[in-house]
Structures are given as C-alpha cells and as structure tokens.
Amino acid sequence: MLMKALLLPIMGPISGVVWIAEQIQERTNTEFDAQENLHKRLLSLQLAFDIGELSEEEFEIQEEEILLKIQALEEQARIEAEAEEDEYYEQEPQFTSEVEKDKHLVLLP
C-alpha cells in the first residue's frame, strides 16, 4: 500500500495512458469485427444466391442493405478520424515555453 502511494505520481499518468490505449484498441476491434461480419454476411448471401437458395430480387435487396451498412460504418470511421485530426490541429503549439526558456542563452565565440 505504501509503495503504491509513493509510486502514484509516476504510475498514475502511465496507467492513464495504458487505459486510453486499451479503450482505443477495444473500439478498433469492435468496429473491425462489425465490418468483418458484414463482409462475411455478404459472402454468405452471394453463395446462397449462387446455389439457388435466393431469387435475384431477394439477393439484390439484401445485398443493398448490407452494402449500405458497410458504407455507413466506413463513413462513421472517416468522420471520427477527421474529428480526431481536427482536435489534434486545434491544440496550441507547445513551442512558447521552449522559446521562453532559450531566450536567455548567450552564444560564445
């Protein structure tokens, strides 16, 4: 317990970064799994049509639904990526503290 309390200032930020990374990984896996499942359903649908289990009309209706879902997932991922990129570029540059720190340096010949 004492060791945890002593290491908290060091391990706290590290634990936070690890937690954030795990959340990102979990969300990425979920999105990948959803898209992968839709591709599998599309392949299964194609096979059912090829062996004659589905009429062409049923196939086209179901195919369109699946393709729209795939497109929606891709669009959502693109929007989220753009939002993250915008947040990154909206941050203030951190150069001011470095410049302030270095302004007192004296160059010697």
Side-chain angles (χ1 to χ4, degrees), residues 48-103:
F49 174 69
D50 288 344
I51 61 174
E53 291 180 357
L54 291 174
S55 69
E56 187 173 347
E57 184 178 318
E58 291 173 342
F59 170 75
E60 288 176 355
I61 292 170
Q62 291 181 23
E63 179 188 38
E64 184 176 354
E65 289 174 2
I66 293 171
L67 290 175
L68 288 173
K69 288 178 183 177
I70 291 172
Q71 185 179 11
L73 280 175
E74 290 173 350
E75 181 68 17
Q76 180 182 3
R78 185 187 62 79
I79 289 171
E80 289 174 0
E82 286 178 357
E84 289 175 7
E85 186 176 306
D86 288 344
E87 288 175 11
Y88 175 78
Y89 287 115
E90 287 176 359
Q91 293 176 353
E92 294 276 333
Q94 300 299 320
F95 301 116
T96 55
S97 62
E98 292 295 321
V99 170
E100 291 296 321
K101 183 171 62 173
D102 292 340
K103 77 177 183 181

Side-chain angles (χ1 to χ4, degrees), residues 9-25:
I10 297 169
M11 296 304 293
I14 293 172
S15 298
V17 169
V18 168
W19 181 82
I20 290 170
E22 289 171 351
Q23 296 301 312
I24 292 171
Q25 181 67 38

